[in-house]
Amino acid sequence: MTRRERAAPNCAEDNAFPLSTAVPTGELKAELKRRLEDMTKAAGFDYYLLVAFPRADSTTFLENRIISNWPQNLTDLYDEVDLFYCSRLVGALK
């Protein structure tokens, strides 16, 4: 593939997650999940994953996963074989 595409077109809304400060804290995760599901479906995907950039004190996949709808067996596999820590992409981003 030589052509690069963005998940959102150029000049798309800058705030992909314009979470209102009026949203009660208990509902914030549900609101984030709903918006991620909407964006995932709009982009034509079935699954989403939101992770934190790995720090030295949290190197495993599960420690850095914030929210996802990946099947449990897949998240367990990523954590078990340490694919996140050994990822060339994550290594390059460090």
Side-chain angles (χ1 to χ4, degrees):
M1 175 186 277
T2 58
R3 187 174 146 207
R4 289 182 158 183
E5 291 186 35
R6 293 173 42 110
N10 287 338
C11 302
E13 290 183 35
D14 289 334
N15 298 325
F17 302 101
L19 296 174
S20 169
T21 55
V23 174
T25 305
E27 296 176 19
L28 193 58
K29 187 172 181 177
E31 177 69 8
L32 177 61
K33 182 179 177 182
R34 185 188 65 76
R35 290 179 187 229
L36 278 170
E37 288 171 352
D38 290 347
M39 288 177 23
T40 300
K41 284 185 175 48
F45 296 103
D46 295 324
Y47 300 100
Y48 61 84
L49 169 68
L50 180 63
V51 294
F53 190 77
R55 300 182 319 222
D57 63 341
S58 58
T59 58
T60 69
F61 175 71
L62 291 179
E63 288 176 323
N64 290 288
R65 184 183 67 167
I66 297 171
I67 189 170
S68 78
N69 69 342
W70 284 18
Q72 187 63 46
N73 62 340
L74 183 59
T75 57
D76 291 344
L77 175 68
Y78 260 69
D79 199 53
E80 182 180 318
V81 297
D82 218 5
L83 289 174
F84 191 71
Y85 180 73
C86 298
S87 166
R88 288 176 38 188
L89 174 62
V90 172
L93 291 172
K94 288 180 183 179

